[in-house]
Amino acid sequence: MKKLAVVLMLVLGAPIALASTVEEKAKQSLEMWEPNEVRVDGESLTVISKERRITDQIYRAMIVSGLCMGTIPRPNSLDEVSEIRILNQFGRQGYVFEGGTEECEEINNMPANETEVYVLGRTHMHTNQ
């Protein structure tokens, strides 16, 4: 009976544990930007910044220098993520990067002068629903 309870806890708690691991690693990687909130909603990693407005420079820096260079050394940290939302302090304005681990690996393996075009090519504006 105890084994069944342990198995159930592991199975039911796995998605929560995975989300908190991604959130923790993302928070560590974005520490210099001091985000107000980092959360995982399904396959979306959402970062609520302390900024009133997210510029394309802030967005690219958080993706390239923060999340991609910061989390990739930690294995599988963005495996379950298919998009990264970088939003202002109100969660109303920002950008969405369509990608996760594979796209970050591509960014890390390309020359620095090519990353801007690559990131912007996988980006769309955030719109409230």
Side-chain angles (χ1 to χ4, degrees):
M1 189 66 153
K2 288 183 181 181
K3 289 182 183 180
L4 179 61
V6 170
V7 169
L8 282 175
M9 287 176 46
L10 289 174
V11 169
L12 296 176
I16 295 168
L18 177 62
S20 66
T21 301
V22 172
E23 290 169 1
E24 289 170 13
K25 290 179 180 180
K27 284 178 187 177
Q28 290 172 355
S29 296
L30 296 169
E31 189 173 11
M32 70 184 287
W33 288 277
E34 301 173 349
N36 288 340
E37 181 182 357
V38 177
R39 68 177 182 265
V40 175
D41 300 316
E43 293 183 356
S44 296
L45 172 64
T46 302
V47 178
I48 304 295
S49 172
K50 68 176 185 172
E51 305 295 329
R52 293 182 58 81
R53 182 172 163 270
I54 301 297
T55 64
D56 60 328
Q57 293 87 3
I58 292 170
Y59 164 73
R60 284 193 321 267
M62 290 177 88
I63 294 292
V64 175
S65 301
L67 291 170
C68 287
M69 289 185 177
T71 56
I72 285 301
R74 297 174 192 105
N76 306 322
S77 58
L78 294 175
D79 275 352
E80 300 297 319
V81 173
S82 65
E83 72 175 14
I84 301 169
R85 299 168 183 238
I86 307 291
L87 307 177
N88 70 350
Q89 65 184 3
F90 310 108
R92 296 184 174 265
Q93 180 269 326
Y95 298 95
V96 180
F97 178 72
E98 297 169 1
T101 299
E102 289 179 29
E103 290 74 18
C104 278
E105 287 174 357
E106 286 186 48
I107 288 170
N108 288 338
N109 292 323
M110 68 178 48
N113 62 343
E114 294 178 15
T115 59
E116 180 176 348
V117 173
Y118 180 81
V119 170
L120 293 178
R122 299 192 63 83
T123 296
H124 63 271
M125 295 287 294
H126 169 77
T127 55
N128 284 336
Q129 300 169 353

